[in-house]
Amino acid sequence: MAEIGRVRIRIPSSIRQGDIVKVRVLVIHPMEIVERKDGKPVDKNYRFINRVLVTYLGNEIAQFETTQSLSENPFFSFAFKATEPGVLKVTFLDTHGGKYEGTADIKFS
């Protein structure tokens, strides 16, 4: 688990102003799977990503909330409209207070 919290962001190599940009993001995280007994969750303080925040040019453009873990090292994808060159930042928050961030520079070609 030495890599926990490492974020990888993939964006297209060529972006023009006004393009709809598809972003793929992966975070290294153990994502404990919620256990169930008789159909009810086992009472335990599970550790998994429960919020994802996306900012572009300093403005929040998306927010995702998850309710339980699906798999280790989760992968998310989303799209946004590239209006100006600047920084895209993706922040992952987990149920134990962990905060993991990654950035990508949006440049026009």
Side-chain angles (χ1 to χ4, degrees), residues 60-106:
E60 186 176 298
I61 60 169
Q63 184 179 130
F64 309 98
E65 292 187 23
T66 61
T67 56
Q68 64 180 336
S69 172
L70 298 176
S71 67
E72 185 175 348
N73 304 329
F75 168 87
F76 293 84
S77 65
F78 59 91
F80 74 99
K81 186 173 184 176
T83 57
E84 297 178 38
V87 175
L88 175 76
K89 180 167 82 169
V90 182
T91 304
F92 294 91
L93 304 169
D94 74 18
T95 54
H96 282 220
K99 182 177 182 178
Y100 316 106
E101 296 179 334
T103 61
D105 289 325
I106 304 302

